[in-house]
Every structure is written in C-alpha cells, then in structure tokens.
Amino acid sequence: VKYLNAYTGTVLLRCRKDAYRLLCSALPFVRQLESRGQGYPCALNTLHVGGTIRTCQKFLIQYNRRQLLMLLQNCTNEGERQCIQKSWLSCSVAEEQSLSGDEEDDDGTE
C-alpha cells in the first residue's frame, strides 16, 4: 500500500508488472480488512492501472475532480456548494504540490 485515504475510500497499491492481473482479479473478492483484531467491511474495485506512481497520482487527481464536479451539480443549497468548491480548490493545490515531488521510475505497476 503506497497511499490510503479513508475519507475518500481510495487505496493506491503497488505490485510487480507480472502480478497486476492477479491482483486486479483478486481485489473484488476482498470483503473485509482487519486492523488490530477488528474487521472492517469493504469492497475494492480497480479504477486505474498505471506504470508509475506519478501517473496513478495524476489519475487520482483527475478522478477526484470529476467526483467533486458531480457532487457540485447535485448540490441542494449554497452551503454545500461552497464546501465542495473549497474542496475542489484544495485538490488543485494538492496537484501542484504532488507533481513537484520525486517520481519513482520502477518496473512495478501501480
């Protein structure tokens, strides 16, 4: 696990190139994650398969932007709209910060 965001329910997994199909086919069968003896129900879906961590980060930024835009279109009041717009702006700032970091050029698939 390279990245985990419990708020958005997003996990970035890294594996070797030759094992990504096995990982993608196994993820839908995971029904529960355990931590410190306590089980947490979950459902895992593959959203993207990329060659580097950086391309996966770029995909997650675009994916989160699309999700926020859909939420913005479904707002019922002005308070919700302002909250989502603030989140969207923070997503844009996070993209600039994450893209300025080092890129891992590895043979693994994320």
Side-chain angles (χ1 to χ4, degrees):
V1 174
K2 288 294 189 177
Y3 173 77
L4 171 68
N5 187 333
Y7 182 71
T8 61
T10 305
V11 179
L12 180 65
L13 298 173
R14 181 173 185 267
C15 69
R16 296 182 54 84
K17 243 186 223 181
D18 55 348
Y20 85 93
R21 287 188 180 173
L22 178 63
L23 180 64
C24 288
S25 64
L27 287 178
F29 296 107
V30 176
R31 298 285 178 225
Q32 179 175 320
L33 297 175
E34 291 191 23
S35 177
R36 299 180 184 154
Q38 187 174 2
Y40 301 96
C42 69
L44 302 174
N45 297 319
T46 303
L47 297 177
H48 177 76
V49 176
T52 64
I53 291 175
R54 185 172 181 171
T55 59
C56 293
Q57 288 172 335
K58 286 180 182 180
F59 170 80
L60 284 175
I61 289 168
Q62 292 299 321
Y63 178 78
N64 287 332
R65 281 185 180 167
R66 287 191 302 266
Q67 295 297 318
L68 286 171
L69 186 60
M70 286 184 357
L71 286 173
L72 190 61
Q73 292 171 350
N74 296 330
C75 284
T76 57
N77 62 36
E78 190 59 33
E80 288 179 355
R81 182 175 296 279
Q82 288 177 353
C83 184
I84 292 172
Q85 285 174 340
K86 183 187 274 188
S87 297
W88 194 41
L89 290 174
S90 70
C91 182
S92 298
V93 171
E95 176 186 13
E96 292 173 10
Q97 291 173 353
S98 69
L99 294 180
S100 65
D102 293 313
E103 178 181 350
E104 280 190 36
D105 272 289
D106 221 345
D107 283 351
T109 299
E110 286 80 22

